[in-house]
Coordinates of all heavy atoms in Angstrom, one line a residue:
M1 N 32.4 -203.9 -34.1 CA 33.2 -205.0 -33.6 C 33.2 -206.1 -34.7 O 32.2 -206.5 -35.2 CB 32.6 -205.5 -32.3 CG 33.4 -206.6 -31.7 SD 32.8 -206.9 -30.0 CE 32.7 -208.6 -30.0
S2 N 34.3 -206.6 -35.0 CA 34.4 -207.6 -36.1 C 34.3 -209.0 -35.4 O 34.6 -209.2 -34.3 CB 35.7 -207.5 -36.8 OG 36.8 -207.8 -36.0
I3 N 33.8 -209.9 -36.2 CA 33.7 -211.3 -35.8 C 35.0 -212.0 -35.9 O 35.7 -211.9 -37.0 CB 32.6 -212.1 -36.7 CG1 31.3 -211.4 -36.4 CG2 32.6 -213.5 -36.4 CD1 30.2 -212.0 -37.3
E4 N 35.4 -212.8 -34.9 CA 36.6 -213.6 -35.0 C 36.2 -215.0 -35.4 O 35.4 -215.7 -34.8 CB 37.3 -213.7 -33.6 CG 38.5 -214.6 -33.7 CD 39.2 -214.7 -32.3 OE1 38.6 -214.3 -31.3 OE2 40.3 -215.3 -32.3
W5 N 36.8 -215.4 -36.6 CA 36.5 -216.8 -37.1 C 37.6 -217.7 -36.7 O 38.8 -217.4 -36.9 CB 36.3 -216.7 -38.6 CG 35.1 -215.9 -39.0 CD1 35.1 -214.6 -39.5 CD2 33.8 -216.3 -39.0 NE1 33.8 -214.2 -39.7 CE2 33.0 -215.3 -39.4 CE3 33.1 -217.5 -38.6 CZ2 31.6 -215.4 -39.5 CZ3 31.8 -217.6 -38.6 CH2 31.0 -216.5 -39.1
I6 N 37.3 -218.9 -36.2 CA 38.3 -219.9 -35.8 C 38.2 -221.1 -36.6 O 37.1 -221.7 -36.8 CB 38.0 -220.2 -34.3 CG1 38.1 -218.9 -33.4 CG2 39.1 -221.2 -33.8 CD1 37.4 -219.0 -32.1
D7 N 39.3 -221.6 -37.1 CA 39.4 -222.8 -37.9 C 39.0 -224.0 -37.1 O 39.7 -224.3 -36.1 CB 40.8 -222.9 -38.5 CG 40.9 -224.0 -39.5 OD1 40.0 -224.8 -39.7 OD2 42.0 -224.1 -40.1
A8 N 37.9 -224.7 -37.5 CA 37.5 -225.8 -36.6 C 37.7 -227.2 -37.3 O 37.9 -228.2 -36.5 CB 36.0 -225.7 -36.4
A9 N 37.6 -227.3 -38.6 CA 37.7 -228.6 -39.2 C 37.8 -228.5 -40.7 O 37.4 -227.4 -41.3 CB 36.5 -229.5 -38.9
A10 N 38.2 -229.5 -41.4 CA 38.2 -229.6 -42.9 C 36.7 -229.9 -43.3 O 36.1 -230.8 -42.7 CB 39.1 -230.6 -43.4
S11 N 36.2 -229.2 -44.2 CA 34.8 -229.4 -44.7 C 34.6 -230.8 -45.2 O 33.5 -231.3 -45.1 CB 34.3 -228.3 -45.6 OG 35.1 -228.3 -46.8
D12 N 35.6 -231.4 -45.8 CA 35.5 -232.8 -46.3 C 35.5 -233.8 -45.3 O 35.3 -235.0 -45.6 CB 36.5 -233.1 -47.4 CG 37.9 -233.1 -46.9 OD1 38.2 -232.9 -45.7 OD2 38.8 -233.2 -47.8
E13 N 35.6 -233.5 -44.0 CA 35.5 -234.4 -42.9 C 34.0 -234.7 -42.5 O 33.7 -235.6 -41.8 CB 36.2 -233.9 -41.6 CG 37.7 -233.8 -41.7 CD 38.2 -233.3 -40.4 OE1 37.9 -233.8 -39.3 OE2 39.1 -232.4 -40.4
L14 N 33.1 -233.8 -43.1 CA 31.7 -233.9 -42.8 C 30.9 -234.7 -43.8 O 31.1 -234.4 -45.0 CB 31.1 -232.5 -42.6 CG 31.7 -231.6 -41.5 CD1 31.3 -230.2 -41.7 CD2 31.3 -232.1 -40.2
W15 N 30.1 -235.6 -43.4 CA 29.3 -236.4 -44.3 C 27.8 -236.0 -44.1 O 27.4 -235.8 -43.0 CB 29.5 -237.9 -44.0 CG 30.9 -238.3 -44.2 CD1 31.9 -238.3 -43.3 CD2 31.5 -238.7 -45.4 NE1 33.1 -238.7 -43.9 CE2 32.8 -239.0 -45.2 CE3 31.0 -238.9 -46.7 CZ2 33.7 -239.4 -46.2 CZ3 31.9 -239.4 -47.7 CH2 33.2 -239.6 -47.4
D16 N 27.1 -236.0 -45.2 CA 25.7 -235.7 -45.1 C 24.9 -236.6 -44.2 O 25.1 -237.8 -44.2 CB 25.1 -235.8 -46.5 CG 23.6 -235.3 -46.6 OD1 23.2 -234.5 -45.7 OD2 22.9 -235.7 -47.6
G17 N 24.2 -236.0 -43.3 CA 23.4 -236.8 -42.3 C 24.2 -237.3 -41.1 O 23.7 -238.2 -40.4
A18 N 25.4 -236.7 -40.9 CA 26.2 -237.2 -39.8 C 26.9 -236.0 -39.1 O 26.9 -234.9 -39.6 CB 27.3 -238.2 -40.3
G19 N 27.4 -236.3 -37.9 CA 28.1 -235.3 -37.1 C 29.5 -235.7 -36.7 O 29.8 -236.9 -36.7
I20 N 30.3 -234.8 -36.4 CA 31.6 -235.0 -35.8 C 31.8 -234.1 -34.6 O 31.3 -233.1 -34.5 CB 32.8 -234.8 -36.8 CG1 32.9 -233.4 -37.3 CG2 32.6 -235.8 -38.0 CD1 34.2 -233.0 -38.0
G21 N 32.7 -234.6 -33.7 CA 33.0 -233.8 -32.5 C 34.3 -233.0 -32.8 O 35.2 -233.5 -33.5
V22 N 34.4 -231.8 -32.4 CA 35.6 -231.0 -32.5 C 35.8 -230.2 -31.2 O 34.8 -230.0 -30.4 CB 35.5 -230.0 -33.7 CG1 35.4 -230.7 -35.0 CG2 34.3 -229.0 -33.5
V23 N 37.0 -229.8 -30.9 CA 37.3 -229.0 -29.8 C 37.9 -227.7 -30.3 O 38.9 -227.7 -31.1 CB 38.3 -229.7 -28.8 CG1 38.7 -228.7 -27.7 CG2 37.8 -231.0 -28.3
V24 N 37.2 -226.6 -30.0 CA 37.6 -225.2 -30.4 C 37.9 -224.4 -29.2 O 37.0 -224.1 -28.4 CB 36.6 -224.6 -31.3 CG1 37.0 -223.2 -31.7 CG2 36.3 -225.5 -32.6
R25 N 39.2 -224.0 -29.0 CA 39.6 -223.2 -27.9 C 39.1 -223.8 -26.6 O 38.6 -223.1 -25.7 CB 39.1 -221.8 -28.0 CG 39.9 -221.1 -29.2 CD 39.9 -219.6 -28.9 NE 40.8 -219.1 -30.0 CZ 40.6 -217.9 -30.5 NH1 39.6 -217.1 -30.0 NH2 41.3 -217.4 -31.5
G26 N 39.2 -225.1 -26.4 CA 38.9 -225.8 -25.2 C 37.4 -226.1 -25.1 O 37.0 -226.7 -24.1
R27 N 36.6 -225.7 -26.0 CA 35.1 -225.9 -26.0 C 34.8 -227.1 -26.9 O 35.2 -227.1 -28.1 CB 34.4 -224.7 -26.4 CG 32.9 -224.8 -26.3 CD 32.2 -223.5 -26.6 NE 32.7 -222.4 -25.7 CZ 32.3 -221.2 -25.8 NH1 31.5 -220.8 -26.8 NH2 32.8 -220.3 -25.0
E28 N 34.1 -228.1 -26.3 CA 33.6 -229.3 -27.1 C 32.4 -228.9 -27.9 O 31.4 -228.5 -27.3 CB 33.4 -230.5 -26.2 CG 34.7 -231.0 -25.6 CD 34.4 -232.3 -24.9 OE1 34.0 -233.3 -25.6 OE2 34.7 -232.3 -23.7
L29 N 32.4 -229.1 -29.2 CA 31.4 -228.7 -30.1 C 31.1 -229.9 -31.1 O 31.9 -230.8 -31.1 CB 31.7 -227.5 -30.9 CG 32.1 -226.2 -30.2 CD1 32.6 -225.2 -31.1 CD2 31.0 -225.8 -29.3
A30 N 30.0 -229.8 -31.7 CA 29.6 -230.8 -32.8 C 29.3 -230.1 -34.1 O 28.7 -229.0 -34.1 CB 28.4 -231.6 -32.3
L31 N 29.7 -230.7 -35.2 CA 29.4 -230.2 -36.5 C 28.6 -231.2 -37.2 O 28.9 -232.4 -37.2 CB 30.7 -229.9 -37.3 CG 31.7 -228.9 -36.7 CD1 33.0 -228.9 -37.5 CD2 31.1 -227.5 -36.6
F32 N 27.6 -230.7 -38.0 CA 26.7 -231.6 -38.7 C 26.5 -231.1 -40.1 O 26.4 -229.9 -40.3 CB 25.3 -231.6 -38.0 CG 25.3 -232.1 -36.6 CD1 25.5 -231.2 -35.6 CD2 25.2 -233.4 -36.3 CE1 25.5 -231.6 -34.3 CE2 25.2 -233.9 -35.0 CZ 25.4 -232.9 -34.0
R33 N 26.5 -232.0 -41.1 CA 26.2 -231.6 -42.5 C 24.8 -232.2 -42.8 O 24.5 -233.4 -42.6 CB 27.2 -232.2 -43.5 CG 26.9 -231.8 -44.9 CD 27.8 -232.3 -45.9 NE 29.2 -231.8 -45.8 CZ 29.6 -230.6 -46.2 NH1 28.7 -229.8 -46.8 NH2 30.8 -230.2 -46.1
V34 N 24.0 -231.3 -43.4 CA 22.6 -231.7 -43.9 C 22.6 -231.2 -45.3 O 22.4 -230.0 -45.5 CB 21.5 -231.2 -43.0 CG1 20.2 -231.5 -43.6 CG2 21.6 -231.6 -41.6
G35 N 22.7 -232.0 -46.3 CA 22.8 -231.6 -47.6 C 24.0 -230.7 -47.8 O 25.1 -231.0 -47.5
D36 N 23.8 -229.5 -48.3 CA 24.9 -228.5 -48.5 C 25.1 -227.6 -47.3 O 26.0 -226.8 -47.3 CB 24.6 -227.6 -49.8 CG 24.6 -228.4 -51.1 OD1 25.3 -229.4 -51.1 OD2 23.9 -228.0 -52.0
A37 N 24.3 -227.7 -46.3 CA 24.4 -226.9 -45.1 C 25.2 -227.6 -44.0 O 25.2 -228.8 -43.9 CB 23.0 -226.6 -44.6
V38 N 25.9 -226.8 -43.2 CA 26.7 -227.2 -42.1 C 26.2 -226.5 -40.9 O 26.0 -225.2 -40.9 CB 28.2 -227.1 -42.3 CG1 29.0 -227.5 -41.1 CG2 28.6 -227.9 -43.5
Y39 N 26.1 -227.2 -39.7 CA 25.6 -226.5 -38.5 C 26.6 -226.9 -37.4 O 27.2 -227.9 -37.4 CB 24.2 -227.1 -38.1 CG 23.2 -226.8 -39.2 CD1 22.9 -227.8 -40.1 CD2 22.6 -225.6 -39.3 CE1 22.0 -227.6 -41.2 CE2 21.7 -225.3 -40.4 CZ 21.4 -226.3 -41.3 OH 20.5 -226.1 -42.3
A40 N 26.7 -225.9 -36.4 CA 27.6 -226.1 -35.3 C 26.7 -226.0 -34.0 O 26.0 -225.0 -33.9 CB 28.7 -225.1 -35.3
T41 N 26.9 -226.9 -33.0 CA 26.2 -226.8 -31.8 C 27.2 -227.2 -30.6 O 28.3 -227.7 -30.9 CB 25.0 -227.8 -31.7 OG1 25.5 -229.2 -31.6 CG2 24.1 -227.7 -32.9
D42 N 26.7 -227.0 -29.4 CA 27.4 -227.6 -28.3 C 27.5 -229.1 -28.5 O 26.6 -229.7 -29.1 CB 26.8 -227.2 -27.0 CG 27.2 -225.8 -26.5 OD1 28.2 -225.3 -26.9 OD2 26.4 -225.3 -25.6
A43 N 28.5 -229.7 -27.9 CA 28.7 -231.2 -28.1 C 27.7 -232.0 -27.3 O 27.4 -233.1 -27.8 CB 30.1 -231.6 -27.8
F44 N 27.2 -231.5 -26.2 CA 26.4 -232.4 -25.3 C 25.0 -232.0 -25.2 O 24.6 -230.8 -25.2 CB 27.1 -232.4 -23.9 CG 28.4 -233.0 -23.9 CD1 29.5 -232.2 -23.9 CD2 28.5 -234.4 -23.8 CE1 30.8 -232.8 -23.9 CE2 29.8 -235.0 -23.8 CZ 30.9 -234.2 -23.9
C45 N 24.1 -232.9 -25.1 CA 22.7 -232.7 -25.0 C 22.4 -231.9 -23.7 O 23.1 -232.1 -22.7 CB 22.0 -234.1 -24.9 SG 20.2 -234.0 -24.6
T46 N 21.4 -231.1 -23.7 CA 21.1 -230.3 -22.6 C 20.3 -231.1 -21.5 O 20.1 -230.6 -20.4 CB 20.2 -229.0 -23.0 OG1 19.0 -229.4 -23.6 CG2 21.0 -228.1 -23.9
H47 N 19.8 -232.2 -21.9 CA 19.0 -233.1 -21.0 C 19.9 -234.1 -20.2 O 19.7 -234.3 -19.0 CB 17.9 -233.8 -21.8 CG 17.2 -234.8 -20.9 ND1 17.5 -236.2 -21.0 CD2 16.3 -234.7 -20.0 CE1 16.7 -236.8 -20.1 NE2 16.0 -236.0 -19.5
G48 N 20.8 -234.7 -20.9 CA 21.7 -235.7 -20.3 C 23.1 -235.5 -20.9 O 23.3 -234.9 -22.0
H49 N 24.1 -236.0 -20.2 CA 25.5 -235.9 -20.7 C 25.8 -236.9 -21.8 O 26.5 -237.9 -21.6 CB 26.5 -236.0 -19.5 CG 27.8 -235.5 -19.8 ND1 28.1 -234.2 -20.0 CD2 29.0 -236.1 -20.0 CE1 29.4 -234.0 -20.2 NE2 29.9 -235.2 -20.3
A50 N 25.2 -236.6 -23.0 CA 25.5 -237.5 -24.1 C 26.0 -236.7 -25.3 O 25.6 -235.5 -25.5 CB 24.2 -238.2 -24.6
R51 N 27.0 -237.3 -26.0 CA 27.6 -236.6 -27.2 C 26.6 -236.6 -28.4 O 26.4 -237.7 -28.9 CB 28.9 -237.2 -27.5 CG 30.0 -237.0 -26.4 CD 31.3 -237.7 -26.7 NE 31.8 -237.5 -28.0 CZ 32.5 -236.5 -28.4 NH1 32.9 -235.6 -27.6 NH2 33.0 -236.4 -29.7
L52 N 26.2 -235.4 -28.8 CA 25.2 -235.4 -29.9 C 25.8 -235.8 -31.2 O 25.1 -236.3 -32.1 CB 24.7 -233.9 -30.0 CG 23.8 -233.6 -28.8 CD1 23.4 -232.1 -28.9 CD2 22.5 -234.4 -28.8
C53 N 27.1 -235.7 -31.4 CA 27.7 -236.1 -32.7 C 27.6 -237.6 -32.9 O 27.7 -238.1 -34.0 CB 29.2 -235.7 -32.8 SG 30.3 -236.4 -31.6
E54 N 27.2 -238.3 -31.8 CA 27.0 -239.8 -31.9 C 25.5 -240.1 -32.1 O 25.1 -241.3 -32.1 CB 27.5 -240.5 -30.6 CG 29.0 -240.3 -30.5 CD 29.5 -240.8 -29.1 OE1 28.7 -241.3 -28.3 OE2 30.7 -240.6 -28.9
G55 N 24.7 -239.0 -32.2 CA 23.2 -239.2 -32.4 C 22.8 -239.4 -33.8 O 23.7 -239.5 -34.7
F56 N 21.5 -239.5 -34.0 CA 21.0 -239.8 -35.3 C 20.4 -238.5 -35.9 O 19.6 -237.8 -35.3 CB 19.8 -240.8 -35.2 CG 19.1 -241.1 -36.4 CD1 19.7 -241.9 -37.4 CD2 17.8 -240.7 -36.6 CE1 19.1 -242.2 -38.6 CE2 17.2 -241.0 -37.8 CZ 17.8 -241.8 -38.8
V57 N 20.9 -238.1 -37.1 CA 20.5 -236.9 -37.9 C 19.3 -237.3 -38.8 O 19.5 -238.3 -39.6 CB 21.6 -236.3 -38.7 CG1 21.1 -235.1 -39.5 CG2 22.7 -235.9 -37.7
E58 N 18.2 -236.6 -38.6 CA 17.1 -236.8 -39.6 C 16.5 -235.5 -40.0 O 16.1 -234.7 -39.1 CB 16.0 -237.7 -38.9 CG 14.8 -238.0 -39.9 CD 13.8 -238.9 -39.3 OE1 14.0 -239.5 -38.2 OE2 12.8 -239.0 -39.9
G59 N 16.7 -235.2 -41.3 CA 16.3 -233.8 -41.7 C 17.2 -232.8 -41.0 O 18.4 -233.0 -41.0
H60 N 16.6 -231.8 -40.4 CA 17.4 -230.8 -39.7 C 17.4 -231.0 -38.2 O 17.6 -230.1 -37.4 CB 16.9 -229.4 -40.0 CG 17.3 -229.0 -41.4 ND1 16.4 -229.2 -42.5 CD2 18.4 -228.4 -41.9 CE1 17.1 -228.7 -43.6 NE2 18.2 -228.3 -43.2
E61 N 17.2 -232.3 -37.8 CA 17.1 -232.6 -36.3 C 18.2 -233.6 -36.0 O 18.6 -234.4 -36.7 CB 15.8 -233.2 -36.0 CG 14.6 -232.2 -36.0 CD 13.3 -232.9 -35.6 OE1 13.1 -234.1 -35.8 OE2 12.5 -232.1 -35.0
I62 N 18.7 -233.4 -34.8 CA 19.7 -234.3 -34.2 C 18.9 -235.0 -33.0 O 18.3 -234.3 -32.2 CB 21.0 -233.7 -33.7 CG1 21.9 -234.7 -33.1 CG2 20.8 -232.5 -32.8 CD1 22.4 -235.8 -34.0
E63 N 19.0 -236.3 -33.0 CA 18.4 -237.1 -31.9 C 19.5 -237.5 -30.9 O 20.5 -238.1 -31.3 CB 17.7 -238.3 -32.4 CG 17.0 -239.1 -31.3 CD 16.3 -240.3 -31.9 OE1 15.2 -240.1 -32.4 OE2 16.8 -241.4 -31.8
C64 N 19.3 -237.2 -29.6 CA 20.3 -237.6 -28.6 C 20.4 -239.1 -28.5 O 19.3 -239.8 -28.5 CB 19.8 -237.0 -27.3 SG 20.8 -237.5 -25.9
P65 N 21.6 -239.6 -28.5 CA 21.7 -241.1 -28.4 C 21.4 -241.7 -27.1 O 21.2 -242.9 -27.0 CB 23.2 -241.3 -28.8 CG 23.9 -240.1 -28.3 CD 22.9 -239.0 -28.5
L66 N 21.2 -240.9 -26.1 CA 20.9 -241.4 -24.7 C 19.4 -241.5 -24.4 O 18.9 -242.6 -24.0 CB 21.6 -240.5 -23.7 CG 21.6 -240.9 -22.2 CD1 22.2 -242.3 -22.1 CD2 22.3 -239.9 -21.4
H67 N 18.6 -240.4 -24.6 CA 17.2 -240.4 -24.3 C 16.3 -240.1 -25.4 O 15.1 -239.9 -25.2 CB 17.0 -239.5 -23.1 CG 17.6 -239.9 -21.8 ND1 18.6 -239.2 -21.2 CD2 17.4 -241.0 -21.0 CE1 19.0 -239.8 -20.1 NE2 18.3 -240.9 -20.0
Q68 N 16.8 -240.0 -26.6 CA 16.1 -239.7 -27.9 C 15.4 -238.4 -27.9 O 14.5 -238.2 -28.7 CB 15.1 -240.8 -28.1 CG 15.7 -242.2 -28.6 CD 16.4 -242.8 -27.4 OE1 15.8 -243.1 -26.3 NE2 17.7 -243.2 -27.6
G69 N 15.8 -237.4 -27.1 CA 15.3 -236.0 -27.2 C 15.9 -235.5 -28.5 O 16.9 -236.0 -29.0
R70 N 15.2 -234.5 -29.1 CA 15.6 -234.0 -30.4 C 15.8 -232.5 -30.4 O 15.0 -231.8 -29.6 CB 14.6 -234.4 -31.5 CG 14.7 -235.8 -31.9 CD 13.6 -236.1 -33.0 NE 13.8 -237.4 -33.4 CZ 13.9 -237.8 -34.7 NH1 13.9 -236.9 -35.6 NH2 14.1 -239.0 -35.0
F71 N 16.7 -232.0 -31.2 CA 16.9 -230.6 -31.4 C 16.9 -230.2 -32.8 O 17.5 -231.0 -33.7 CB 18.2 -230.2 -30.8 CG 18.4 -230.5 -29.3 CD1 18.9 -231.7 -28.9 CD2 18.0 -229.6 -28.3 CE1 19.0 -232.0 -27.5 CE2 18.1 -229.9 -27.0 CZ 18.6 -231.1 -26.6
D72 N 16.4 -229.0 -33.2 CA 16.6 -228.5 -34.5 C 18.0 -227.9 -34.7 O 18.4 -227.0 -33.9 CB 15.6 -227.3 -34.7 CG 15.5 -226.9 -36.2 OD1 16.6 -226.6 -36.8 OD2 14.4 -226.7 -36.7
L73 N 18.8 -228.4 -35.6 CA 20.2 -228.0 -35.8 C 20.3 -226.6 -36.2 O 21.3 -225.9 -36.0 CB 20.8 -228.9 -36.8 CG 21.1 -230.3 -36.4 CD1 21.5 -231.2 -37.6 CD2 22.1 -230.4 -35.3
R74 N 19.3 -226.0 -36.8 CA 19.3 -224.6 -37.3 C 19.2 -223.6 -36.2 O 19.8 -222.5 -36.2 CB 18.2 -224.4 -38.3 CG 18.4 -225.3 -39.6 CD 17.1 -225.3 -40.4 NE 16.1 -226.0 -39.7 CZ 14.9 -226.3 -40.2 NH1 14.7 -226.1 -41.5 NH2 14.0 -226.9 -39.5
S75 N 18.4 -224.0 -35.1 CA 18.1 -223.0 -34.1 C 18.5 -223.5 -32.7 O 18.6 -222.7 -31.7 CB 16.7 -222.7 -34.1 OG 15.9 -223.9 -33.8
G76 N 18.7 -224.8 -32.5 CA 18.9 -225.4 -31.2 C 17.7 -225.6 -30.4 O 17.7 -226.2 -29.3
V77 N 16.5 -225.3 -30.9 CA 15.2 -225.5 -30.2 C 14.9 -227.0 -30.0 O 15.0 -227.7 -31.0 CB 14.1 -224.8 -31.0 CG1 12.7 -225.1 -30.4 CG2 14.3 -223.3 -31.0
P78 N 14.5 -227.4 -28.8 CA 14.2 -228.8 -28.6 C 12.9 -229.1 -29.4 O 11.9 -228.3 -29.4 CB 14.0 -228.9 -27.1 CG 13.9 -227.5 -26.6 CD 14.5 -226.6 -27.6
T79 N 12.8 -230.2 -30.0 CA 11.6 -230.6 -30.8 C 11.0 -231.9 -30.3 O 9.9 -232.2 -30.8 CB 12.0 -230.8 -32.3 OG1 13.0 -231.8 -32.4 CG2 12.5 -229.5 -32.9
C80 N 11.6 -232.5 -29.3 CA 11.0 -233.8 -28.8 C 11.5 -234.0 -27.4 O 12.7 -233.8 -27.1 CB 11.4 -235.0 -29.7 SG 10.7 -236.5 -29.2
E81 N 10.6 -234.3 -26.5 CA 10.9 -234.6 -25.1 C 11.8 -235.8 -25.0 O 11.7 -236.7 -25.9 CB 9.7 -234.7 -24.3 CG 8.9 -233.5 -24.1 CD 7.7 -233.6 -23.2 OE1 7.3 -234.8 -22.9 OE2 7.1 -232.6 -22.9
P82 N 12.6 -235.9 -24.0 CA 12.7 -235.2 -22.8 C 13.5 -233.9 -22.9 O 13.6 -233.2 -21.9 CB 13.3 -236.1 -21.8 CG 14.2 -237.0 -22.6 CD 13.5 -237.1 -24.0
A83 N 14.0 -233.6 -24.1 CA 14.8 -232.3 -24.2 C 13.8 -231.1 -24.1 O 12.8 -231.1 -24.7 CB 15.5 -232.3 -25.6
A84 N 14.2 -230.2 -23.2 CA 13.4 -229.0 -22.9 C 14.1 -227.7 -23.0 O 13.6 -226.7 -23.3 CB 12.7 -229.1 -21.5
E85 N 15.5 -227.8 -22.8 CA 16.3 -226.6 -22.8 C 17.0 -226.5 -24.2 O 17.5 -227.5 -24.7 CB 17.4 -226.7 -21.7 CG 18.3 -225.5 -21.7 CD 19.3 -225.7 -20.6 OE1 19.1 -226.4 -19.6 OE2 20.4 -225.0 -20.7
A86 N 17.0 -225.3 -24.8 CA 17.6 -225.2 -26.1 C 19.1 -225.5 -26.1 O 19.8 -225.3 -25.1 CB 17.4 -223.7 -26.6
L87 N 19.6 -225.9 -27.2 CA 21.0 -226.3 -27.4 C 21.6 -225.0 -28.1 O 21.0 -224.4 -28.9 CB 21.0 -227.4 -28.4 CG 22.3 -228.0 -28.8 CD1 23.0 -228.6 -27.7 CD2 22.1 -229.0 -29.9
R88 N 22.8 -224.7 -27.6 CA 23.5 -223.5 -28.2 C 24.0 -223.8 -29.6 O 24.6 -224.9 -29.8 CB 24.6 -223.1 -27.3 CG 25.3 -221.8 -27.8 CD 26.2 -221.2 -26.8 NE 26.8 -220.0 -27.4 CZ 27.8 -219.4 -26.9 NH1 28.3 -219.8 -25.7 NH2 28.3 -218.3 -27.5
T89 N 23.8 -222.9 -30.5 CA 24.3 -223.1 -31.9 C 25.3 -222.0 -32.1 O 25.3 -220.9 -31.4 CB 23.1 -223.0 -32.9 OG1 22.5 -221.8 -32.8 CG2 22.1 -224.2 -32.7
Y90 N 26.1 -222.1 -33.2 CA 27.2 -221.2 -33.4 C 27.2 -220.8 -34.9 O 27.0 -221.7 -35.8 CB 28.5 -221.8 -33.1 CG 28.6 -222.1 -31.6 CD1 28.2 -223.4 -31.1 CD2 29.1 -221.2 -30.7 CE1 28.3 -223.7 -29.8 CE2 29.2 -221.5 -29.3 CZ 28.7 -222.8 -28.9 OH 28.8 -223.1 -27.6
P91 N 27.4 -219.5 -35.2 CA 27.6 -219.2 -36.6 C 28.8 -219.8 -37.2 O 29.9 -220.0 -36.5 CB 27.7 -217.6 -36.6 CG 27.8 -217.2 -35.2 CD 27.6 -218.4 -34.3
L92 N 28.8 -220.1 -38.5 CA 29.9 -220.6 -39.2 C 30.0 -220.2 -40.6 O 29.0 -219.7 -41.2 CB 30.0 -222.2 -39.0 CG 28.9 -223.0 -39.7 CD1 29.1 -223.2 -41.1 CD2 28.8 -224.3 -39.0
R93 N 31.1 -220.4 -41.2 CA 31.2 -220.2 -42.7 C 32.2 -221.3 -43.2 O 33.0 -221.8 -42.5 CB 31.7 -218.8 -43.0 CG 33.1 -218.6 -42.5 CD 33.6 -217.2 -42.9 NE 35.0 -217.0 -42.5 CZ 35.7 -216.0 -42.8 NH1 35.1 -214.9 -43.3 NH2 37.0 -215.9 -42.5
I94 N 32.1 -221.6 -44.5 CA 33.0 -222.5 -45.2 C 33.8 -221.7 -46.1 O 33.3 -220.9 -46.9 CB 32.2 -223.6 -46.0 CG1 31.1 -224.3 -45.1 CG2 33.2 -224.5 -46.6 CD1 31.7 -225.1 -44.0
D95 N 35.1 -221.8 -46.0 CA 36.0 -221.0 -46.8 C 37.3 -221.8 -47.0 O 37.9 -222.2 -46.0 CB 36.3 -219.6 -46.2 CG 37.1 -218.7 -47.1 OD1 37.0 -218.8 -48.3 OD2 37.9 -217.9 -46.5
G96 N 37.8 -221.9 -48.2 CA 39.0 -222.6 -48.5 C 39.0 -224.1 -48.0 O 40.1 -224.6 -47.6
G97 N 37.9 -224.7 -48.1 CA 37.8 -226.1 -47.7 C 37.8 -226.3 -46.2 O 37.9 -227.5 -45.7
R98 N 37.6 -225.3 -45.4 CA 37.7 -225.3 -44.0 C 36.3 -224.8 -43.4 O 35.7 -224.0 -44.0 CB 38.8 -224.5 -43.4 CG 40.2 -224.8 -43.9 CD 40.7 -226.2 -43.5 NE 40.8 -226.3 -42.1 CZ 41.1 -227.5 -41.5 NH1 41.4 -228.6 -42.2 NH2 41.2 -227.6 -40.2
V99 N 36.0 -225.3 -42.2 CA 34.8 -224.8 -41.5 C 35.4 -223.8 -40.4 O 36.2 -224.2 -39.6 CB 34.1 -226.0 -40.8 CG1 32.9 -225.4 -40.0 CG2 33.6 -227.0 -41.8
W100 N 34.9 -222.6 -40.5 CA 35.3 -221.6 -39.6 C 34.1 -221.2 -38.7 O 33.0 -221.0 -39.1 CB 35.7 -220.3 -40.3 CG 36.9 -220.6 -41.2 CD1 36.9 -221.1 -42.5 CD2 38.2 -220.3 -40.9 NE1 38.1 -221.2 -43.0 CE2 39.0 -220.7 -42.1 CE3 38.9 -219.8 -39.8 CZ2 40.4 -220.6 -42.1 CZ3 40.3 -219.6 -39.9 CH2 41.0 -220.1 -41.0
L101 N 34.4 -221.2 -37.3 CA 33.3 -220.9 -36.4 C 33.6 -219.6 -35.6 O 34.7 -219.2 -35.4 CB 33.3 -222.0 -35.3 CG 33.0 -223.4 -35.7 CD1 33.1 -224.3 -34.5 CD2 31.6 -223.5 -36.3
S102 N 32.5 -219.0 -35.2 CA 32.5 -217.8 -34.3 C 31.9 -218.4 -33.0 O 30.7 -218.7 -33.0 CB 31.7 -216.6 -34.8 OG 31.7 -215.6 -33.8
I103 N 32.7 -218.4 -31.9 CA 32.2 -219.0 -30.6 C 31.9 -218.0 -29.5 O 31.4 -218.3 -28.5 CB 33.1 -220.1 -30.1 CG1 34.5 -219.5 -29.8 CG2 33.2 -221.3 -31.1 CD1 35.4 -220.5 -29.0
D104 N 32.1 -216.7 -29.8 CA 31.9 -215.7 -28.7 C 30.5 -215.1 -28.9 O 29.9 -215.0 -29.8 CB 33.0 -214.6 -28.8 CG 34.3 -215.3 -28.4 OD1 34.4 -216.1 -27.5 OD2 35.3 -214.8 -29.0

């Protein structure tokens, strides 16, 4: 079975240490750049209904802007309470100046 890649954003829309919100096939997601790496996660914190793209990126962690729970952007694993449930992450690739996601 082949992977379906979906065009999500221009790679130059992403700034180091920050996130943006995108909608891919009706699903709200967040994209984050950390150095040369880009990560994709669900848009909302698993603890409270807060948009993670509005949170604070430190290293490979995103801090929820609502209750300051943290998640590792590489794996979605919570790293600081009150976050306890893992955040879904998505495979991606950068090609032709675009960020392509696999969401299935």
Side-chain angles (χ1 to χ4, degrees):
M1 185 166 134
S2 65
I3 295 175
E4 180 182 10
W5 295 102
I6 303 160
D7 188 354
S11 60
D12 63 3
E13 292 180 50
L14 299 167
W15 298 91
D16 189 20
I20 64 168
V22 296
V23 177
V24 177
R25 293 207 174 147
R27 187 175 298 177
E28 291 188 61
L29 305 174
L31 301 175
F32 301 91
R33 180 181 296 279
V34 178
D36 292 332
V38 176
Y39 302 97
T41 71
D42 278 338
F44 294 96
C45 178
T46 59
H47 172 259
H49 196 71
R51 292 176 49 85
L52 292 174
C53 64
E54 297 171 3
F56 179 71
V57 176
E58 184 173 349
H60 287 94
E61 291 183 326
I62 180 64
E63 182 179 281
C64 173
L66 188 58
H67 293 113
Q68 290 71 52
R70 288 179 173 235
F71 300 90
D72 188 312
L73 290 169
R74 299 167 291 193
S75 64
V77 171
T79 59
C80 182
E81 293 182 347
E85 182 182 336
L87 180 65
R88 185 165 178 194
T89 61
Y90 300 87
L92 63 80
R93 68 180 187 177
I94 309 291
D95 187 33
R98 304 293 300 174
V99 178
W100 298 83
L101 298 176
S102 175
I103 61 171
D104 295 323

